[in-house]
């Protein structure tokens, strides 16, 4: 079946540093999404990307939909302690009601103050 | 607007028992999807219900089942619990469905421990 390879699995960074993570697949996706899960909470949608090459920002977060439609990237600038959590990428193969949303295994981010 | 509500938040069961988890979606959302989250496997799709009908199903054994009521509230049931069923079970609601836009609103989850 389809799989998403998300990397890195975990990151330990200093407050103020920039963060980059990515997601790749052997399959093409119509939509890429990035979610964040805070400890003890459910995931929350950060950014959704709908077109190949699209670059979208949400505050200090910037995500890109890869040109090949097989990858996506998320960057966080000037990290702060509340950025701690697990970041999940998700790819969607649009199929109307039967579309298939696949999640990566997550990147766990730790930020040292 | 109230968010997605899952109950119970925590529960402990023993092998062989069965468990029922409940999810109340955001008002107006017709789709409820269920996911199993474990440290090693990430978010695994269980099934989706839309207007009381199962619309999509993941690769889980028949011990995992669900249903949706006319008010869009959903329940999932796991019978004959196994140790490997210990996980965080997340419910997510959306207006058009997980396979339509991928934009989901998750609850806080029900953490199941099987002893």
């Amino acid at each position: 079946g389809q799989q998403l390879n998300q990397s890195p699995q975990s990151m330990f960074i200093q407050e103020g540093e920039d963060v980059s993570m990515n997601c790749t697949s052997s399959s093409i996706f119509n939509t890429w999404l990035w979610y964040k899960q805070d400890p003890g909470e459910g995931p929350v949608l950060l950014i959704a990307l709908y077109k190949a090459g699209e670059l979208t920002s949400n505050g200090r977060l910037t995500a890109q939909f890869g040109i090949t439609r097989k990858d996506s990237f998320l960057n966080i600038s000037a990290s702060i302690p509340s950025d701690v959590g697990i970041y999940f990428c998700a790819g969607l193969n649009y199929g109307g009601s039967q579309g298939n949303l696949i999640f990566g295994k997550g990147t766990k981010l730790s930020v040292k103050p | 607007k109230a968010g997605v509500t899952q109950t119970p938040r925590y529960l402990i069961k023993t092998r062989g028992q069965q468990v029922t988890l409940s999810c109340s979606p955001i008002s107006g959302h017709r789709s409820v999807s269920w996911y199993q989250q474990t440290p090693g496997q990430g978010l695994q799709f269980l099934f989706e219900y839309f207007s009381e009908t199962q619309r999509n199903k993941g690769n889980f054994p028949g011990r995992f089942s669900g249903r949706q009521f006319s008010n869009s509230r959903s329940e999932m049931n796991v019978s004959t619990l196994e140790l490997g069923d210990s996980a965080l079970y997340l419910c997510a609601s959306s207006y058009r469905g997980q396979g339509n836009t991928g934009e989901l609103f998750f609850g806080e989850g029900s953490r199941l421990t099987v002893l």
Side-chain angles (χ1 to χ4, degrees):
Chain A
Q2 292 175 313
Q3 285 190 323
L4 296 185
N5 300 309
Q6 190 171 350
S7 65
Q9 279 188 310
S10 61
M11 304 180 75
F12 296 85
I13 63 167
Q14 199 76 36
E15 182 177 358
E17 289 183 355
D18 296 343
V19 173
S20 290
M21 59 189 79
N22 69 80
C23 213
T24 61
S25 173
S26 58
S27 304
I28 290 172
F29 288 100
N30 303 109
T31 299
W32 283 96
L33 308 106
W34 287 91
Y35 285 83
K36 182 197 176 194
Q37 184 176 28
D38 288 333
E41 307 281 330
V44 172
L45 180 64
L46 297 173
I47 292 177
L49 303 154
Y50 301 104
K51 204 162 66 171
E54 181 180 354
L55 187 72
T56 297
S57 293
N58 178 4
R60 292 177 296 105
L61 277 60
T62 301
Q64 184 163 23
F65 191 141
I67 289 289
T68 65
R69 294 168 62 194
K70 293 182 179 180
D71 55 11
S72 180
F73 306 87
L74 177 69
N75 296 314
I76 306 173
S77 62
S79 59
I80 58 178
S82 62
D83 290 333
V84 163
I86 304 176
Y87 292 79
F88 291 98
C89 64
L92 175 65
N93 260 338
Y94 182 74
S97 63
Q98 297 302 315
N100 207 14
L101 182 66
I102 308 293
F103 281 88
K105 294 191 176 181
T107 293
K108 187 173 182 179
L109 179 63
S110 301
V111 179
K112 287 188 291 185
Chain B
K1 201 177 196 180
V4 178
T5 304
Q6 290 190 246
T7 56
R9 289 292 310 278
Y10 303 92
L11 65 167
I12 299 173
K13 294 283 187 179
T14 56
R15 279 186 302 174
Q17 287 187 311
Q18 67 95 26
V19 66
T20 299
L21 309 177
S22 179
C23 173
S24 292
I26 290 172
S27 178
H29 284 189
R30 298 177 290 174
S31 165
V32 173
S33 299
W34 288 90
Y35 291 85
Q36 182 193 66
Q37 184 177 18
T38 57
Q41 296 300 315
L43 288 163
Q44 301 288 309
F45 174 68
L46 281 155
F47 29 65
E48 178 191 14
Y49 286 86
F50 187 93
S51 295
E52 301 180 67
T53 301
Q54 188 181 85
R55 192 158 79 170
N56 216 339
K57 190 176 188 307
N59 294 324
F60 277 82
R63 299 186 297 109
F64 292 81
S65 63
R67 58 177 173 169
Q68 187 179 33
F69 302 95
S70 58
N71 61 359
S72 292
R73 189 178 71 85
S74 177
E75 289 182 346
M76 68 162 281
N77 184 78
V78 188
S79 62
T80 320
L81 284 166
E82 301 177 358
L83 295 178
D85 296 334
S86 294
L88 180 67
Y89 290 88
L90 290 160
C91 160
S93 80
S94 64
Y95 181 71
R96 295 171 66 190
Q98 60 89 29
N100 209 298
T101 66
E103 297 180 16
L104 303 177
F105 294 83
F106 283 88
E108 294 179 314
S110 293
R111 184 164 295 282
L112 170 66
T113 302
V114 182
L115 302 175

